[in-house]
Amino acid sequence: MKNLKRKEEQLGEKSRHVALAFSLIFLFLQGFSNSSTKYFNKELFSAHKAVYELRLNDALVACSQHQDSYSSGTSYIRTLSLALRAFITEKPIDIKAFEDSKNRSLDVFDELADNDPYKNIFLAETYFYSAIVKAKQDQLYSAARDIGRAHSLLSENIDNYPNFKGSYKTKGIMQVYLSTVPEHYQWAVKLLGFNGDLKKGLKNLERLVHYQGNDEFLKNLKIETHYMYAFALHHVVKQPQKAWDEVINSTSDYETNLLSSFFRASLATKLHKNTIAIETIRKAPHSAAYEKLHYLQLLLGQNLLYQQDPASLECFETYLAQY
């Protein structure tokens, strides 16, 4: 009887250990795999996708109509939208709108739990796009500091959550392009706390380029990552055919996606695929739902000029009048 009782006690102890183990695993998975649905609903996922089509007004309206218009999800999408608008137009009013949104969003993101990988993603992306806007305004020192902040946040995220793919897009972009800094300027890059690595950068971009999962946030990040990956292959790796293949794969929606049109036409121009560039720009969406991307008129003029088409003059005049 004593042996039987002891076995029952041992079995009960093992059961408790098993139950505790499964509970801890469940809690861990629940805490980490809450994934992007914790911050984005169906409407916000669509708004995020609209940003990568340059339907920025649609994205901003969706944020304002959300039940919590200053949640982490809406703050992220709003700030990203306004960053792209400020970068495109360079108008003081648009730059100020972005700066105001950025500052408010950073406060919102700072309130997130430190053990939430989305906290560092939201912060890093905000600093990264802030750097891009500042760099275009020749605020290079301030832009470099924002790049440093983004780099530090993403490095921390990758150390703590190596399987969280969202960290690898911007980290990969920075690694690739910082690898192009001339040797005699590398001291400045290292002084800011980061360095480039072409091989690792490309590998990190490929983590999202080849993503086949169902997370809508990551699927949207994949769109931007694929564009950047293709241009890195052309600009940095010097593999024009592979770059073009990737652009073809990532911009099949160019007739309904203005950002796809831009990247497709831009690389086609650089590769002297003039007929394709002209066709792409002429088929690009130009309705009021999309941002005005006047640069496409310049590209169209260049490609028509290469074909000795006098219509190029009208394109150049339109570009100069609008931009």
Side-chain angles (χ1 to χ4, degrees):
M1 289 291 292
K2 289 183 178 180
N3 289 338
L4 180 61
K5 186 175 181 180
R6 188 178 300 111
K7 288 182 179 179
E8 288 177 348
E9 289 175 349
Q10 290 174 345
L11 182 62
E13 189 68 22
K14 287 181 179 179
S15 297
R16 282 192 291 274
H17 283 308
V18 171
L20 178 60
F22 275 110
S23 297
L24 290 173
I25 291 171
F26 175 76
L27 288 172
F28 172 78
L29 291 175
Q30 189 179 49
F32 184 73
S33 69
N34 54 29
S35 141
S36 52
T37 56
K38 181 177 180 180
Y39 300 108
F40 304 92
N41 59 13
K42 182 179 179 181
E43 289 71 28
L44 290 184
F45 282 133
S46 296
H48 190 202
K49 189 172 187 296
V51 174
Y52 293 123
E53 297 174 353
L54 291 185
R55 292 189 292 111
L56 303 185
N57 280 334
D58 289 348
L60 291 169
V61 168
C63 290
S64 65
Q65 292 179 345
H66 190 261
Q67 59 185 0
D68 184 355
S69 61
Y70 283 97
S71 67
S72 296
T74 54
S75 296
Y76 172 78
I77 293 171
R78 180 184 296 107
T79 303
L80 175 59
S81 300
L82 293 174
L84 288 178
R85 176 169 288 168
F87 181 81
I88 291 170
T89 70
E90 299 184 66
K91 293 179 179 178
I93 189 172
D94 291 329
I95 294 172
K96 185 179 186 306
F98 163 67
E99 288 292 334
D100 291 345
S101 179
K102 179 195 74 175
N103 293 333
R104 183 163 187 170
S105 294
L106 290 174
D107 289 338
V108 171
F109 303 149
D110 276 332
E111 295 300 316
L112 296 176
D114 289 337
N115 63 351
D116 185 340
Y118 280 89
K119 176 177 183 176
N120 279 13
I121 284 293
F122 291 153
L123 287 168
E125 291 293 300
T126 301
Y127 281 123
F128 178 68
Y129 278 97
S130 174
I132 290 175
V133 172
K134 288 177 178 178
K136 200 171 183 184
Q137 304 303 310
D138 290 327
Q139 299 174 23
L140 300 182
Y141 179 71
S142 183
R145 293 188 63 186
D146 282 347
I147 287 288
R149 293 185 180 104
H151 185 276
S152 177
L153 289 161
L154 292 171
S155 296
E156 180 183 327
N157 239 25
I158 290 171
D159 288 342
N160 293 333
Y161 311 100
N163 294 323
F164 183 65
K165 294 184 183 296
S167 304
Y168 291 100
K169 173 188 71 77
T170 298
K171 181 65 180 289
I173 293 170
M174 289 190 289
Q175 288 173 314
V176 168
Y177 284 95
L178 287 172
S179 73
T180 67
V181 175
E183 185 65 31
H184 54 281
Y185 287 123
Q186 283 292 334
W187 64 270
V189 173
K190 292 177 181 178
L191 187 65
L192 291 167
F194 45 84
N195 51 43
D197 190 317
L198 178 58
K199 186 176 180 180
K200 287 183 179 179
L202 290 173
K203 184 176 180 180
N204 284 335
L205 292 177
E206 288 167 358
R207 290 172 185 265
L208 271 169
V209 168
H210 301 310
Y211 178 69
Q212 297 295 328
N214 296 317
D215 188 295
E216 293 296 329
F217 178 75
L218 295 180
K219 285 164 68 175
N220 286 336
L221 283 188
K222 177 181 177 178
I223 297 171
E224 180 186 3
T225 307
H226 212 159
Y227 296 148
M228 295 295 101
Y229 179 67
F231 268 63
L233 290 174
H234 178 260
H235 291 151
V236 184
V237 187
K238 309 301 182 185
Q239 294 182 354
Q241 186 55 53
K242 187 175 180 181
W244 181 244
D245 291 342
E246 293 295 339
V247 160
I248 291 296
N249 291 334
S250 62
T251 62
S252 59
D253 61 346
Y254 71 93
E255 293 185 39
T256 58
N257 182 336
L258 187 57
L259 199 55
S260 286
S261 301
F262 166 75
F263 280 105
R264 191 184 188 98
S266 294
L267 192 56
T269 302
K270 294 178 184 300
L271 297 178
H272 305 292
K273 297 179 181 292
N274 309 123
T275 300
I276 294 177
I278 292 168
E279 178 187 23
T280 298
I281 296 169
R282 285 177 170 167
K283 289 185 177 180
H286 298 293
S287 74
Y290 298 86
E291 291 296 293
K292 298 296 183 183
L293 201 57
H294 302 309
Y295 182 70
L296 288 179
Q297 280 296 311
L298 178 61
L299 284 182
L300 180 58
Q302 288 176 345
N303 284 281
L304 289 171
L305 182 61
Y306 294 148
Q307 294 190 339
Q308 299 182 343
D309 189 328
S312 62
L313 292 176
E314 183 178 347
C315 295
F316 294 140
E317 290 171 355
T318 300
Y319 173 74
L320 291 173
Q322 294 176 332
Y323 188 66

